[in-house]
Coordinates of all heavy atoms in Angstrom, one line a residue:
E1141 N -58.1 22.2 57.2 CA -56.8 22.6 57.9 C -55.7 22.9 56.8 O -55.0 23.9 56.9 CB -56.3 21.5 58.9 CG -55.1 21.8 59.6 CD -55.2 22.7 60.8 OE1 -56.4 23.0 61.2 OE2 -54.2 23.2 61.3
R1142 N -55.7 22.0 55.8 CA -54.6 22.1 54.8 C -54.8 23.4 54.0 O -53.9 24.1 53.6 CB -54.5 20.9 54.0 CG -53.5 20.9 52.9 CD -53.3 19.5 52.4 NE -52.3 19.5 51.3 CZ -52.6 19.5 50.0 NH1 -53.9 19.4 49.6 NH2 -51.7 19.5 49.1
I1143 N -56.1 23.7 53.6 CA -56.4 24.7 52.7 C -56.4 26.1 53.4 O -55.8 27.1 53.0 CB -57.8 24.5 52.0 CG1 -57.7 23.3 51.1 CG2 -58.2 25.7 51.2 CD1 -59.0 22.9 50.4
F1144 N -57.1 26.2 54.6 CA -57.3 27.5 55.2 C -56.3 27.8 56.3 O -56.3 29.0 56.6 CB -58.8 27.5 55.7 CG -59.8 27.4 54.7 CD1 -60.6 26.2 54.6 CD2 -60.0 28.3 53.7 CE1 -61.6 26.1 53.6 CE2 -61.0 28.2 52.8 CZ -61.8 27.1 52.8
V1145 N -55.7 26.9 56.8 CA -54.7 27.2 57.9 C -53.3 27.0 57.4 O -52.4 28.0 57.4 CB -54.9 26.2 59.1 CG1 -53.9 26.5 60.2 CG2 -56.3 26.4 59.6
E1146 N -52.9 25.9 56.9 CA -51.5 25.7 56.4 C -51.3 26.4 55.1 O -50.2 26.9 54.8 CB -51.3 24.2 56.2 CG -51.4 23.4 57.5 CD -51.2 21.9 57.2 OE1 -51.0 21.5 56.0 OE2 -51.4 21.1 58.1
G1147 N -52.3 26.5 54.2 CA -52.2 27.2 52.9 C -51.5 26.4 51.9 O -51.0 25.3 52.1
Q1148 N -51.7 26.8 50.6 CA -51.1 26.1 49.5 C -49.7 26.6 49.2 O -49.2 27.6 49.9 CB -52.0 26.3 48.3 CG -53.4 25.8 48.5 CD -53.5 24.3 48.7 OE1 -52.9 23.5 48.0 NE2 -54.2 23.9 49.7
T1149 N -49.1 26.1 48.1 CA -47.8 26.5 47.8 C -47.8 28.0 47.2 O -48.6 28.3 46.4 CB -47.2 25.6 46.7 OG1 -47.3 24.3 47.2 CG2 -45.7 26.0 46.4
P1150 N -47.0 28.9 47.8 CA -47.0 30.3 47.3 C -46.6 30.3 45.7 O -45.7 29.6 45.3 CB -45.8 30.9 48.1 CG -45.7 30.1 49.3 CD -46.0 28.7 48.9
Y1151 N -47.3 31.2 45.0 CA -47.1 31.1 43.6 C -45.8 31.6 43.1 O -45.2 31.0 42.1 CB -48.2 32.0 42.9 CG -48.5 31.7 41.5 CD1 -49.0 30.4 41.1 CD2 -48.1 32.6 40.5 CE1 -49.2 30.1 39.8 CE2 -48.3 32.2 39.1 CZ -48.8 31.0 38.8 OH -49.0 30.7 37.5
P1152 N -45.1 32.5 43.8 CA -43.7 32.8 43.4 C -42.8 31.6 43.5 O -41.9 31.4 42.6 CB -43.3 33.9 44.4 CG -44.5 34.6 44.8 CD -45.6 33.5 44.8
K1153 N -43.1 30.7 44.5 CA -42.3 29.5 44.5 C -42.5 28.6 43.4 O -41.7 27.8 42.9 CB -42.6 28.8 45.9 CG -41.7 27.5 46.1 CD -42.0 26.9 47.5 CE -41.2 25.7 47.8 NZ -41.5 25.1 49.1
I1154 N -43.8 28.5 42.9 CA -44.2 27.7 41.7 C -43.5 28.2 40.5 O -43.0 27.5 39.7 CB -45.7 27.7 41.6 CG1 -46.4 26.9 42.7 CG2 -46.1 27.0 40.3 CD1 -47.9 26.9 42.7
I1155 N -43.5 29.6 40.4 CA -42.8 30.2 39.2 C -41.3 29.9 39.2 O -40.7 29.6 38.1 CB -43.1 31.7 39.2 CG1 -44.5 32.0 39.0 CG2 -42.2 32.4 38.0 CD1 -45.1 31.5 37.7
A1156 N -40.7 30.0 40.4 CA -39.3 29.7 40.5 C -38.9 28.3 40.1 O -37.9 28.0 39.4 CB -38.8 30.0 41.9
G1157 N -39.8 27.3 40.5 CA -39.5 25.9 40.1 C -40.5 25.4 39.2 O -41.0 24.3 39.3
F1158 N -40.9 26.2 38.1 CA -42.0 25.9 37.3 C -41.8 24.5 36.5 O -42.8 23.8 36.5 CB -42.2 27.0 36.2 CG -43.4 26.8 35.3 CD1 -44.6 27.2 35.8 CD2 -43.2 26.3 34.1 CE1 -45.7 27.0 35.0 CE2 -44.4 26.1 33.3 CZ -45.6 26.5 33.7
P1159 N -40.6 24.2 35.9 CA -40.5 22.9 35.3 C -40.9 21.7 36.1 O -41.6 20.8 35.7 CB -39.0 22.9 34.8 CG -38.6 24.3 34.7 CD -39.4 25.0 35.8
R1160 N -40.4 21.8 37.4 CA -40.7 20.7 38.3 C -42.2 20.6 38.7 O -42.8 19.5 38.6 CB -39.9 20.8 39.6 CG -40.2 19.7 40.6 CD -39.1 19.8 41.7 NE -39.0 21.1 42.3 CZ -39.7 21.4 43.4 NH1 -40.6 20.6 44.0 NH2 -39.6 22.7 43.9
Y1161 N -42.8 21.7 38.9 CA -44.3 21.7 39.3 C -45.1 21.4 38.0 O -46.2 20.7 38.1 CB -44.7 23.1 39.8 CG -44.2 23.3 41.2 CD1 -43.1 24.1 41.5 CD2 -44.9 22.8 42.3 CE1 -42.7 24.3 42.8 CE2 -44.5 23.0 43.6 CZ -43.4 23.7 43.9 OH -43.0 23.9 45.1
W1162 N -44.7 21.9 36.9 CA -45.4 21.5 35.6 C -45.4 20.0 35.3 O -46.4 19.4 34.9 CB -44.9 22.3 34.5 CG -45.6 22.1 33.2 CD1 -45.2 21.3 32.1 CD2 -46.9 22.4 32.8 NE1 -46.1 21.3 31.1 CE2 -47.2 22.0 31.5 CE3 -47.9 23.2 33.5 CZ2 -48.4 22.2 30.9 CZ3 -49.1 23.4 32.8 CH2 -49.4 22.9 31.5
K1163 N -44.1 19.5 35.5 CA -44.0 18.0 35.3 C -44.9 17.2 36.3 O -45.6 16.3 35.9 CB -42.6 17.6 35.5 CG -42.3 16.2 35.2 CD -40.8 15.8 35.4 CE -40.5 14.4 35.2 NZ -39.1 14.0 35.3
R1164 N -45.0 17.7 37.5 CA -45.9 17.0 38.5 C -47.3 17.1 38.1 O -48.1 16.1 38.2 CB -45.6 17.5 39.8 CG -46.5 16.8 40.9 CD -46.3 17.5 42.3 NE -47.2 16.9 43.2 CZ -47.3 17.3 44.5 NH1 -46.5 18.3 44.9 NH2 -48.1 16.7 45.3
A1165 N -47.7 18.3 37.6 CA -49.1 18.5 37.2 C -49.4 17.6 36.0 O -50.5 17.0 35.9 CB -49.3 20.0 36.8
I1166 N -48.5 17.4 35.0 CA -48.7 16.5 33.9 C -48.9 15.1 34.3 O -49.8 14.4 33.9 CB -47.7 16.7 32.9 CG1 -47.6 18.1 32.2 CG2 -47.8 15.6 31.7 CD1 -48.9 18.5 31.5
Q1167 N -48.0 14.7 35.3 CA -48.1 13.3 35.8 C -49.4 13.1 36.5 O -50.1 12.0 36.4 CB -46.9 13.0 36.7 CG -45.6 13.0 36.0 CD -44.5 12.8 37.0 OE1 -44.6 13.0 38.2 NE2 -43.3 12.5 36.5
D1168 N -49.9 14.0 37.3 CA -51.2 13.9 38.0 C -52.3 13.8 37.0 O -53.3 13.1 37.2 CB -51.4 15.1 39.0 CG -50.5 15.0 40.2 OD1 -49.9 13.9 40.4 OD2 -50.4 16.0 40.9
C1169 N -52.3 14.6 36.0 CA -53.4 14.6 35.0 C -53.4 13.2 34.2 O -54.5 12.7 34.0 CB -53.2 15.7 33.9 SG -53.5 17.4 34.6
Q1170 N -52.2 12.7 33.9 CA -52.1 11.4 33.2 C -52.7 10.3 34.1 O -53.4 9.4 33.7 CB -50.7 11.1 32.8 CG -50.2 11.9 31.7 CD -48.7 11.7 31.4 OE1 -48.0 11.0 32.2 NE2 -48.2 12.1 30.2

């Protein structure tokens, strides 16, 4: 449901808030 119906975060939104999304990605990897 989450992947195919609700969808993921639009990539333009990720680019607009890249520092915040990148920081979260680093934290998840750690």
